[in-house]
Amino acid sequence: MRHETLVGVLLIANMLMATRLTLTKSLSRSPRSIKRTSRSIFYPKHSNKSLPCPLWSSSFSICIDSLHKSTSPSFTSSRRFSSSSSSSMATSALNDVVEANPLLDQFVFPPFDAVEPKHVRPGIRALLEKLERDLEELEQNVEPSWPKLVEPLEKIVDRLAVVWGMVNHLKSVKDSSELRSAIEDVQAEKVKFQLRLGQSKPLYNAFKAIQDSPDWKTLSDARKRIVENQIKEAVLNGVSLDDDKREQFNKIEQELERLSVKFGENVLDATKKFEKLITDKKEIDGLPATALGLAAQSAVSKGHENATAENGPWVITLDAPSYIAVMQHARNRSLREEVYRAYITRASSGELDNTQLIEQILKLRLEKAKLLSYNNYAEVSMATKMATVDKAEELLEKLRRASWDAAVQDIEDLKKFSKDQGALEADDLTHWDVTFWSERLRESKYDINEEELRPFFSLPNVMDGLFDLAKTLFGIEIEPADGLAPVWNKDVKFFRVKDSSGSPVAYFYFDPYSRPSEKRQGAWMDEVVARSRVLSPDGNSSRLPVAHMVCNQTPPVGSKPSLMTFREVETVFHEFGHALQHMLTKEDEGLVAGIRGIEWDAVELPSQFMENWCYHKDTLLGIAKHYATGETLPEDVYLKLVAARTYRAGTQSLRQIRFATVDLELHTKYVPGGSESIYDVDRRVSEKTQVIPPLAEDRFLCSFSHIFAGGYAAGYYSYKWAEVLSADAFSAFEDAGLDNNKAVIETGRKFRETILALGGGKAPLEVFVQFRGREPTPDALLRHNGLIAAA
C-alpha cells in the first residue's frame, strides 16, 4: 500500500522531488506499499541510543566503517549538530534544548529508542529555527550553480527529512495520544517552513537560470531532471502566484495537512474501537487455530488474563489478521455480517465520522487546482506522473472490459458451489458470504487450505529464501546486524546489505508483526536516509541508504514462530521490492536517488515485480519448509498454488478498478456541495465495477486512507499502471527462460542496473525501455491474470 502506507508529504519537497514514498501496497488484499504517507521527503517515516556522527555529516560513511570493525559498538549519546558561525543558536536556552534533545543529536542511525513525545515540540521548533536561518543564508548568497544552489538546498531538505522522519515514523508504529498532540502542535510550523521553502523565488529564479544557461546541455540526465522537476514543482507549490493568491494557497495547504492527519487518526481509532468479546466457541466455529490463538491473545491484552485459544474468551477486532480470518473461515453467518458491516462503516459516524473531512478535503483540493489554473485536482496530480487523466481512464476501462465477464462468472461459480453444499444463502449471496464461500471453493477446486499451508511459511524461512533470491538476481548479500542500530520495538530486526565484494551498500529495518494498540494497519516501506554524494564523507563515496519495511502479519503464538499465509509472503516480497529500489540505487544526486523523484505511477514497479517470484518454483520451494519437520512443500501443492493464482482474477481486478475509478471521479467530475454525494459517486462507479452492488450503508470512502490520508489522491490508478510495467518486466525473465539459471542471473543484473539503480535520475519510461528494449504493453498482465490466453 508499496504503505501501506509512504505514507509523509508530497507537499513542498515534491518541489524538491526528494519525494518521500512511504511505499504502500494497494487495497487488493490488505493495504501494503511504499508508504506514500504524503507527498514529500518532508514526511520521512522513521531505537539503542544514537551513535556518534550525524546522518548529514561528512563523517557518516566513516562512522559506518568504524562500526563494522567494532564488535561492541558504543551506543552513546553524542555531540549535537553544530551550527555554522553565521547561524549559531540565538540563546543559551535554545542551546539547552538542543543539548537535551535526541532529535537534535548527531547520529548514524536515528535514536528511535530515545525519542519521546516530550522531545517533539522543542526539538522540531529548534530545528526549524536553524533551517530558517540556513535558508535565509542560501537565498542571500544563491548562485545558479550546483555548489551554490542544489547542494546547500539538499542539506536543508535532508536534515528536515531525517528528523521529521523519526517523529512521523514513530507515530505510525508507536502511536500515543501524547505523541499525536505533540505532532499536532508543531505541524503547522513545519508546513509553514515547507511552503516558505517551496515558494522561494530566489531559488526558483536560480533554477530557471541554470536551465537557460549555455551549460545546460552539459548537465547529466539526473541533474537535468532535478532542475526541471524543481521548476515544475515550484509552480505547483504556488511560487508564481501573486501575494493574495499565495496566501490563500498556503492556508489551503495548512488545512489540507491538518485534515489529512485527522482522517488517518479517525480510521485508526475507529479500527481500534471495535471489539467483540466471544465466550461461546460455537460462535466462532470454523476459525483456524492461528486465528483462535490471536483472538485469545487479544483477549489477554484486554484484561482477560486466563484466555486461551482452546477455551477462550476470544476478542475479534477489525485489525487485518482478525478481520480476514472471520470473513474467510467463520461459519457463523451473523458474525461475518456484523464484522463486515463494522468494517465498511469505520470512521463514518459519531466523533470519528470522516464524511465532512472528505468533503472539506475535496473542496480544498479543487480550490487549490483552480488557483494553479487547472480544471481539477486530477490534472494537478498528473502533472508529475507518467500518465494523463485520459490515459489513466483509458487503461482502467480496457482492464475493466477484460475483467467483467470473468467477474460475473466468478459469482455464478460461487452460487452454484454454495448451493451444491446446501447453503441456505446460495440464492442470495451477499458481501459477507463471498469471501467465505470463495475460500471454500478454492479449497475444493485446488485442494488448498491456506491455514494448512501456514506451517510451511515460517517468517525465518521466508526471509532466508527472499535473501537468497536477492543474491541470485542482484548479486547482494544480506546479513543480520541487530544491535548496530536503535529500534522502536523488541521485534524489529536490522540488516546490512553488502555487494559482491563484501562492502556495505545499504541497511534496513524490518518490523513484521501486527500491534493493533499502537501500530497503523497495512504494510509499507519508507526511507530513513537516502544515498547522497553531497552528504558523503570525503567527496568520493556516497552516504549509504537506509530503509525500513513495516508489515502487520500474524505474530508468533506461544512457542511457534510467525506462521504466514501465502498472502503475507507476497506482502513481504512486495515491500522488499520497494526497499531494493531505495537501497540498490547508484544515483549519487540525493534529490533523485533511490525512490526519490520517481513518478508516482512507476514507483510500484519493483514491488509488484518481486511478487511474481512467489510463484517461481525454485524460489517458492526454497522458502516453503515446515517449521517443525523441515519438510519441503510438496510439488503438487506448489502446482496448485500456481493454478490458483488466477482464481477470481476478474473479481480482484474489478475491485481495484473500482477504487481507482472512484478516486479519479472524485478528483475530476465531483462537485463538492453539489447534488451528488461522495457515496452517490461510489455507487455510480460500482454499477460498472462490482457484480454485487455495495450495501446502501457502505462507507468505505471514510477509511480510504490511500487518497485522503496518503499520497494517492488522483493516483490510485498507479497500482494498475505499475502492474502493467511490473508484469511486462517479469516477462523478460520468462522470455529468457526461468529454468535457465544463467539467463535469469543476467536478466537480474540488467534489472538491477536499470530499474533499481537509476532511481529518479531518468524518466521511468526511458528506464523501462533501457531494461526491456521496448515500451510496455498490458499483455503480460492480462496473461498472468488469466484474462487472455497465453501465446
Side-chain angles (χ1 to χ4, degrees), residues 50 148 470 489 520 631 727:
S50 55
K148 294 290 188 178
N489 183 279
R520 74 176 184 84
E631 174 194 0

Side-chain angles (χ1 to χ4, degrees), residues 71-266:
T71 57
S72 178
S74 172
F75 292 90
T76 59
S77 183
S78 60
R79 299 187 307 277
R80 280 69 184 172
F81 65 72
S82 58
S83 305
S84 63
S85 58
S86 63
S87 57
S88 60
M89 291 300 179
T91 65
S92 60
L94 188 54
N95 272 318
D96 291 340
V97 168
V98 174
E99 206 45 44
N101 199 313
L103 288 174
L104 304 176
D105 279 353
Q106 291 185 337
F107 47 73
V108 173
F109 301 111
F112 288 120
D113 63 334
V115 176
E116 300 176 25
K118 67 181 181 181
H119 298 128
V120 173
R121 294 178 184 89
I124 295 299
R125 284 170 177 153
L127 176 66
L128 291 174
E129 287 185 25
K130 168 69 169 60
L131 296 183
E132 177 65 33
R133 288 192 296 274
D134 290 347
L135 177 56
E136 289 174 356
E137 182 178 344
L138 173 58
E139 289 178 324
Q140 291 168 5
N141 301 297
V142 69
E143 296 177 11
S145 69
W146 224 252
K148 294 290 188 178
L149 171 61
V150 182
E151 293 179 3
L153 177 60
E154 182 183 339
K155 291 175 182 177
I156 292 172
V157 170
D158 192 84
R159 187 167 297 183
L160 181 58
V162 172
V163 177
W164 184 260
M166 283 190 279
V167 173
N168 203 53
H169 176 64
L170 288 172
K171 184 174 183 292
S172 294
V173 297
K174 200 174 181 179
D175 187 40
S176 69
S177 58
E178 294 80 10
L179 182 57
R180 284 188 188 185
S181 176
I183 291 174
E184 184 176 343
D185 285 350
V186 296
Q187 187 169 273
E189 297 164 57
K190 179 189 70 71
V191 175
K192 181 180 179 181
F193 176 76
Q194 291 175 300
L195 289 166
R196 158 94 169 82
L197 179 59
Q199 295 169 354
S200 171
K201 289 192 174 180
L203 302 189
Y204 172 70
N205 291 333
F207 277 112
K208 290 281 289 182
I210 290 178
Q211 190 178 48
D212 295 338
S213 74
D215 296 332
W216 173 251
K217 293 182 179 180
T218 67
L219 294 184
S220 66
D221 288 343
R223 290 193 170 189
K224 286 180 179 177
R225 284 265 291 175
I226 289 172
V227 173
E228 290 167 347
N229 289 335
Q230 301 288 349
I231 293 170
K232 180 190 295 182
E233 292 291 344
V235 172
L236 292 176
N237 282 298
V239 73
S240 300
L241 298 176
D242 59 37
D243 291 345
D244 290 344
K245 288 186 176 180
R246 188 162 60 250
E247 183 178 352
Q248 182 184 355
F249 180 94
N250 291 349
K251 288 180 179 178
I252 289 173
E253 290 289 70
Q254 286 279 11
E255 184 64 3
L256 281 173
E257 184 66 20
R258 185 189 71 81
L259 293 171
S260 175
V261 171
K262 181 62 175 172
F263 184 99
E265 290 175 351
N266 284 352

Side-chain angles (χ1 to χ4, degrees), residues 537-718:
D538 53 15
N540 295 318
S541 60
S542 290
R543 183 182 66 178
L544 300 181
V546 182
H548 64 240
M549 292 167 49
V550 182
C551 294
N552 265 288
Q553 66 195 49
T554 308
V557 176
S559 60
K560 295 180 181 178
S562 175
L563 302 179
M564 304 167 67
T565 66
F566 186 65
R567 292 174 181 178
E568 288 174 337
V569 174
E570 289 180 297
T571 296
V572 170
F573 273 62
H574 179 104
E575 300 308 331
F576 190 65
H578 283 310
L580 286 170
Q581 189 170 38
H582 179 65
M583 297 187 296
L584 298 188
T585 184
K586 293 187 176 180
E587 179 54 66
D588 290 326
E589 295 292 344
L591 294 180
V592 289
I595 59 175
R596 294 181 173 187
I598 297 176
E599 279 76 352
W600 201 275
D601 40 11
V603 79
E604 294 291 336
L605 191 168
S607 57
Q608 294 175 340
F609 163 83
M610 287 299 295
E611 289 185 54
N612 288 284
W613 292 99
C614 295
Y615 296 90
H616 178 237
K617 181 178 178 180
D618 291 347
T619 300
L620 186 64
L621 296 184
I623 66 176
K625 309 284 186 183
H626 196 285
Y627 80 97
T629 67
E631 174 194 0
T632 298
L633 185 76
E635 185 169 343
D636 67 313
V637 178
Y638 158 73
L639 294 174
K640 292 172 184 176
L641 277 173
V642 172
R645 183 181 188 181
T646 59
Y647 177 59
R648 293 177 57 76
T651 298
Q652 295 301 326
S653 178
L654 282 187
R655 186 168 185 264
Q656 288 297 88
I657 292 167
R658 172 197 177 189
F659 297 151
T661 304
V662 77
D663 172 33
L664 286 180
E665 285 282 320
L666 289 173
H667 290 103
T668 53
K669 302 177 180 67
Y670 176 69
V671 179
S675 59
E676 190 179 41
S677 74
I678 55 174
Y679 306 119
D680 292 335
V681 173
D682 183 33
R683 280 189 286 272
R684 174 163 53 78
V685 168
S686 295
E687 290 176 3
K688 292 187 175 182
T689 58
Q690 299 291 284
V691 178
I692 299 178
L695 299 179
E697 64 267 37
D698 189 313
R699 296 292 183 267
F700 109 89
L701 287 173
C702 288
S703 58
F704 198 0
S705 296
H706 279 71
I707 70 170
F708 296 120
Y712 284 87
Y716 196 87
Y717 78 91
S718 299

Side-chain angles (χ1 to χ4, degrees), residues 736-757:
L738 289 171
D739 295 328
N740 184 335
N741 195 55
K742 182 174 182 291
V744 166
I745 291 173
E746 290 176 355
T747 310
R749 296 302 192 274
K750 187 176 182 182
F751 187 89
R752 176 182 175 177
E753 294 304 314
T754 52
I755 305 295
L756 300 181

